[in-house]
Amino acid sequence: MMNKENFEIQVMEYLSGDMPEKNRAQFEKLLAKNENLSKEFEGLMNIWSKVENLDAPKPTAKMDESFFDALVQEVDKKTKKSFWILLQEMVFSAFKPQLAYGFLLVGVGLVIGYFFSPGEMPDENQKIVQVDEPLEEVRQRLVLTLLEQPSANQRLQGVGEANKIAQVDSIVVKALLQTLNNDPNVNVRLAAIESLTNYLDNPTVRQGLVQSIAHQESPILQVTLANLMVALQEKASIAPFRQLLQEKTLDTTVKKKIENSIESII
Amino acid sequence: MVYPENKQENTDNLDHLSDNALMSEVKSGDLDKLGLLYERHKKTLFGFFYNLGNNPSVSEDLVQNVFMRMLKYRGSYTGKGMFGAWMFRMARNVNYDHHKKTAKEKISWQVSSEELGEASDDGFNESMEREGNSILLKRALAKLSDEKRELLILSKYKGLKFGELAEILGCTEGAAKVRVHRALKELRTIFLELETS
């Protein structure tokens, strides 16, 4: 006869699916033979399935936003701290006379190296970018989260975060262009243009800016884009600007501005 | 949060890494890897806190507290045992500290009047009945001791085997099974009492 504790253990193994097939058959036989145990088991199985089916609502996007915000802060803090520790170590070491001589030699070597092979410098920059990559990735994720928020302030913050990224990936560029074309708030759209101007070397950005001309209805944005296209001398913008000129609702000042811009680009 | 396709591709490259491997990278200074662990476990942890009786907003705060605590105590992560067990141990402490801080405020299951109203509108409808059962279950859980409630909520997670549960509780696997069994039995008694009252 099985003792109480063993039965309790077996019930839990059976319910959780931990029990091997062979033991399951044995356990089922035991239940079939004993009505009391069988009743007790059924009752427990019933409440177990209820507990298993307990559900919970989905967490909101606010949770993601505050987590990634906090994570970026921690990563920033750590980066600054490591730099500070490194600096302290260097200063401390410099006071040791035997190392000071070594530093002097290294310094002389660096100066000579700098003058004799200036082509090496871009590699150094590349290294710095590589070190910052994880932080950049987290920040990009934060930008994407913030740009999805219903509050215009948070979306503005998102665009602001995008400005801190040295090398944005195509997803962030896409999100910024989408903001430029679809955001209901003029200030956010303006900020998106400003942010995109950081990446004018990227053909997708230039193309996206040109394509967005036709989407803009706000005079401020139309004028800002006109100024930008003149500065870039972007010939591809002439066609969408001409299309915009056909709009009957176009503000007369904006109309003049666009006409002047087209002339300057041609 | 829904990531655009390419972003997903970027994270897919890291998907093959186990939780333990990711946490070890966090420990060695790659703090951003915590973002991936967060994406993997945020829903589970949120459900854990919510089902323990915290409201959604508090549950969200507690999820963040768990991950911030992981950062703070990353040095103590040994990589031995299952990451989930370490995470839930931390989650239990976070929940305990939160309720200690809110000045002995008893964990109360917030069953809203709307929920109760919906359930009593049509007792014959199957989905309503299920909802009614769920409210009854929540009430029954609220009547259990904190320890037993936590035990049952932890044991409901599919990814957590009894071995890991025992690791969290600091007891043997057999003892963990017996404890869950007894908590379940008590819950059933309370549930039946509530159902007939």
Side-chain angles (χ1 to χ4, degrees), chain A residues 71-124:
Chain A
L71 184 60
V72 167
Q73 275 180 24
E74 287 296 324
V75 174
D76 273 344
K77 224 192 285 175
K78 186 180 168 278
T79 316
K80 277 178 199 157
K81 206 170 151 190
S82 336
F83 173 73
W84 183 237
I85 290 168
L86 192 74
L87 194 72
Q88 273 181 325
E89 278 174 3
M90 278 172 70
V91 170
F92 177 73
S93 313
F95 281 108
K96 291 185 177 171
Q98 64 270 39
L99 281 179
Y101 189 63
F103 269 114
L104 188 69
L105 281 176
V106 171
V108 170
L110 281 175
V111 171
I112 293 170
Y114 177 80
F115 283 110
F116 281 91
S117 57
E120 296 293 312
M121 290 313 282
D123 279 347
E124 283 300 314

Side-chain angles (χ1 to χ4, degrees), chain B residues 108-125:
Chain B
S108 57
W109 281 79
Q110 301 293 329
V111 181
S112 68
S113 55
E114 302 95 76
E115 276 181 301
L116 290 172
E118 272 175 42
S120 59
D121 279 347
D122 181 6
F124 298 107
N125 183 301

Side-chain angles (χ1 to χ4, degrees), chain B residues 41-79:
Chain B
H41 300 287
K42 63 179 181 184
K43 277 187 194 155
T44 308
L45 279 177
F46 177 81
F48 171 71
F49 289 123
Y50 179 81
N51 284 325
L52 279 180
N54 298 293
N55 71 40
S57 155
V58 169
S59 303
E60 290 189 354
D61 287 347
L62 296 182
V63 171
Q64 186 168 342
N65 287 355
V66 172
F67 284 97
M68 288 303 116
R69 206 175 267 216
M70 282 183 189
L71 269 191
K72 195 174 171 188
Y73 297 110
R74 61 185 185 274
S76 70
Y77 182 72
T78 58

